[in-house]
Amino acid sequence: MEADNRQFDGKLFLKDVNRKLNDRLAEIQKDLNQGLKEIENMHEYYWENYTEMDQYGYEDYDNQQALLQQVNANRDKSKLMKRLEKMIDSPFFGRVDFLFEAEEEEEPFYIGIGNFGERAGMTPLIYDWRAPVSSLFYDFDKGEAFYEAPSGVIKGEVVSKWQYKIRGGKMIYGFESDVKIDDEILKHELGNNGDVKLKNIVRTIQKEQNAIIRNTKDKILVIQGAAGSGKTSIALHRIAYLLYHDRKNLKSSNILILSPNSVFADYISHILPELGEENIKEMSFDLFAYKELQDTAADCEDRYDQLERMMKFDDRRAQERFEWKQSAGFVGEAEGFFAVLEDELMEFREVEFRGMRFSEEEIIHLFYDKFYQIPLLKRMDAVMEYFIDSYETLKGRNIEEEDREFLQRKFDKMYVTKDIYAIYNKLLAVCGQEQMAELPYERRKIQYEDVFPMLYVKYRLTGKNEHKNIKHLVIDEMQDYSYLQYLILKELFDCKMTILGDRAQTLGKEQQDVLKFLPKVFGKNIRTVILNKSYRNTREIADYAGKIANVKDIEFLDRHGKDVAERKFKTDEEMFEAVRANLKLEKEEKTDHTDDVVNEEVYETAAVIAMTEEEASDIYRLLENRGISAFYVDRDTSVFHKGLTVTTYYLAKGLEFDQVFVVKSKKENPFEKQALYISATRALHELYVYEE
């Protein structure tokens, strides 16, 4: 009876809070309208009176300041209005009845996507999921409990805990839960049809996930998680929590995500706005490297170019070269090279300018002694500036820009070369490696195996621009970054980091466990969390994928579905007809030769996943010719659509689909095992593995 009363309390509270939300929205709308009227009046006043405003502009300045204040106030009210409009759909999703220590009556705390109180400064009716008290909902069952408040640890007892689903402002269900987050809720929320975007998980955050999200102490937090463990969602929710927790020092503009590609960036772009935060910057590290090397070469390959070439030729020596150039061994060889480069690269001579003279010995002294800490290719600039300062002091006048350019050329000639491309080639020769072709700038295209080694050489010889504005870096797909890339990232970003990935999804022949070398790069002060429970795939799909990659010790949500369908076809026509027959994006009459099941569901998303770019492009064209509508995703795609997607396995990483049709290569693929595992783990409900 008591539980029934509490459920009734939840319905009454929803009715009351909906009324108060609507009242507050009406007030804000009224204030906004008034604010717009004020802005209109200020504009009218200005244009009617600007010719008569005082000569010093004080009145004009005051008018502009008042206008700016009103515009900012309207902007803040608009943001609040949008947040409250979202809350009307689902004001809260949980409740904890907490009995404070030494109190006699428990207090209910309703938990939602954001705080809501009738007035600013009043006790919230609904608490933000990131508020300290909300951790009770995620971390404790009934019984003794505590949470960390700004004033200290608050102890007490969880008397009851409730979970709700509200849509359109109406309660769909509400029940008391004796476990963290009921498994049936998890199955429903995480195992339903694939959305066009990544799901936010505030309603289903698990205790171990909550510990990661609320971690504010560790500078480097590494999340090693199985496919479907929610690691990307957790990382984004962690960012939302950190922004909430440290408003004074951390803003959205202080955070950067290194994402694998643009379509994945679009797939996750809605999460932070849904959680009440502004979106944050994202970039591909490959694209960043390309921009940094634009003054060295006209073009650079990316990782996908390298993968495609390896799948096409399976060149063992090329793979060995690639691995060595990303390793600690290469870094050691490069440092030895830099030690002798100072002498080999320099041809010192005296400099004379309008009666001012520096001898060769003086320049050598400045170069090797006074400015020895400056990077090699920037050091002569410091010598030149010293020369110019001496001249201007002696002559009592400044050097003109034209003369400065003349001196710049004179000092630059003391380098045998300043071309990073040529210097890197010398390093390759010293290391006994095949050199790149000697080409003019406009014909240079740097192969991917050389991109980051050359960037490392550039930074060591010219210095790097530290991104001090970035206070938190998120690195996704950590297993696809090399030792050398992490070394570069450490130099560029001296900030807190969240690093996440899954070694089983390495793009390459073998799995890479970066946990073996990350402590060598960042030091031992790294916090590592292992997430070994997967929520995405059905047991049938998970078991199939696990056998491919020999993945063990993974827990799965006990959600069952259709068996994985493996088929070989004699012709392309048969295979594409099977795709058409089994595609469940819309209800249609099936042909006789289908793999479909009875009472099948209509899905939102599906994918045909090929091994190579060429195969994906051919499949897309052939599907379209047969009247099967699809979206083709390549490395330049920036939007993720619902419906049928055709893409490669490496661009599908991080995405999920209701149905997945994997098309194996006709020829041998050296990355087939990894590609099949990545492709299989994209499927929520149904997996088809086709081979011609």
Side-chain angles (χ1 to χ4, degrees), residues 40 46 129 196 444 468 488 515 518 536 550 595 657:
E40 185 181 334
Y46 178 81
W129 65 277
V196 183
R444 293 175 181 174
K468 294 186 181 298
I488 293 171
L515 296 178
L518 280 183
R536 178 186 295 147
N550 195 29
D595 301 323
F657 306 89

Side-chain angles (χ1 to χ4, degrees), residues 399-608:
I399 283 183
E400 298 293 333
E401 189 62 34
E402 187 176 328
D403 290 332
R404 176 180 284 273
E405 290 174 1
F406 169 77
L407 285 170
Q408 183 75 63
R409 290 192 294 272
K410 210 172 184 65
F411 278 92
D412 279 350
K413 282 182 180 178
M414 294 191 213
Y415 290 105
V416 173
T417 180
K418 292 184 76 174
D419 183 1
I420 297 294
Y421 187 94
I423 294 171
Y424 178 68
N425 244 352
K426 286 173 65 72
L427 170 59
L428 292 180
V430 168
C431 296
Q433 295 286 322
E434 181 181 342
Q435 292 179 267
M436 302 179 299
E438 293 185 12
L439 297 169
Y441 171 86
E442 62 276 6
R443 291 179 56 199
R444 293 175 181 174
K445 182 173 183 178
I446 306 170
Q447 286 199 350
Y448 190 71
E449 68 181 63
D450 295 305
V451 169
F452 287 96
M454 192 180 295
L455 186 60
Y456 180 75
V457 169
K458 178 181 178 179
Y459 285 157
R460 286 288 284 108
L461 296 180
T462 66
K464 77 281 181 188
N465 295 319
E466 289 185 40
H467 298 258
K468 294 186 181 298
N469 182 54
I470 301 301
K471 298 180 180 179
H472 200 108
L473 181 69
V474 179
I475 303 173
D476 203 356
E477 303 294 353
M478 67 181 185
Q479 70 281 353
D480 293 328
Y481 289 77
S482 67
Y483 174 87
L484 180 63
Q485 287 173 311
Y486 280 111
L487 205 60
I488 293 171
L489 286 169
K490 177 180 180 292
E491 294 300 312
L492 292 176
F493 301 97
D494 184 21
C495 62
K496 289 191 172 184
M497 298 185 188
T498 302
I499 305 174
L500 57 140
D502 173 17
R503 61 174 173 264
Q505 295 185 62
T506 305
L507 290 177
K509 285 186 178 181
E510 305 296 333
Q511 297 179 13
Q512 176 179 238
D513 187 359
V514 300
L515 296 178
K516 292 180 178 178
F517 62 73
L518 280 183
K520 296 176 184 176
V521 177
F522 294 108
K524 294 182 180 179
N525 192 22
I526 295 178
R527 167 85 165 159
T528 301
V529 180
I530 307 297
L531 297 176
N532 60 3
K533 186 168 185 178
S534 177
Y535 302 95
R536 178 186 295 147
N537 318 116
T538 62
R539 285 303 302 266
E540 290 77 11
I541 294 170
D543 289 344
Y544 177 87
K547 289 174 184 175
I548 295 170
N550 195 29
V551 175
K552 299 175 181 177
D553 302 322
I554 303 296
E555 293 180 54
F556 298 100
L557 198 63
D558 194 24
R559 184 173 69 85
H560 288 273
K562 181 180 176 180
D563 288 339
V564 176
E566 293 184 279
R567 285 187 62 182
K568 289 188 176 183
F569 298 90
K570 294 180 180 178
T571 65
D572 284 342
E573 188 64 42
E574 287 182 5
M575 183 173 68
F576 289 123
E577 189 54 39
V579 172
R580 181 202 298 276
N582 288 286
L583 199 60
K584 298 174 184 174
L585 294 177
E586 58 183 50
K587 292 179 180 178
E588 59 182 353
E589 191 174 334
K590 303 292 179 182
T591 56
D592 292 336
H593 50 281
T594 69
D595 301 323
D596 56 308
V597 293
V598 181
N599 299 323
E600 55 190 304
E601 195 173 354
V602 177
Y603 293 131
E604 288 287 312
T605 59
V608 176

Side-chain angles (χ1 to χ4, degrees), residues 370-381:
K370 186 173 181 62
F371 299 118
Y372 73 95
Q373 290 183 319
I374 295 175
L376 182 58
L377 292 183
K378 293 293 184 183
R379 202 178 301 171
M380 195 55 78
D381 291 344

Side-chain angles (χ1 to χ4, degrees), residues 86-105:
K86 286 181 182 177
M87 289 187 73
I88 279 184
D89 179 62
S90 181
F92 55 90
F93 54 80
R95 185 176 105 208
V96 175
D97 295 333
F98 188 63
L99 180 62
F100 288 93
E101 202 171 50
E103 296 289 334
E104 294 184 358
E105 188 172 342

Side-chain angles (χ1 to χ4, degrees), residues 211-227:
I212 298 169
I213 290 167
R214 292 174 185 261
N215 181 312
T216 60
K217 297 175 183 177
D218 295 301
K219 183 174 182 180
I220 310 292
L221 182 62
V222 180
I223 306 168
Q224 167 68 42

Side-chain angles (χ1 to χ4, degrees), residues 322-367:
F322 171 75
E323 291 173 359
W324 181 79
K325 288 177 180 178
Q326 311 297 316
S327 70
F330 165 80
V331 173
E333 293 263 16
E335 291 303 317
F337 172 74
F338 298 143
V340 299
L341 183 64
E342 287 190 355
D343 296 329
E344 295 180 359
L345 198 62
M346 305 310 301
E347 291 181 351
F348 297 107
R349 57 181 69 92
E350 73 170 34
V351 174
E352 192 277 330
F353 178 75
R354 294 182 181 175
M356 179 85 174
R357 177 178 171 276
F358 271 16
S359 68
E360 181 179 330
E361 290 75 17
E362 286 177 292
I363 291 173
I364 290 172
H365 166 70
L366 291 169
F367 190 86

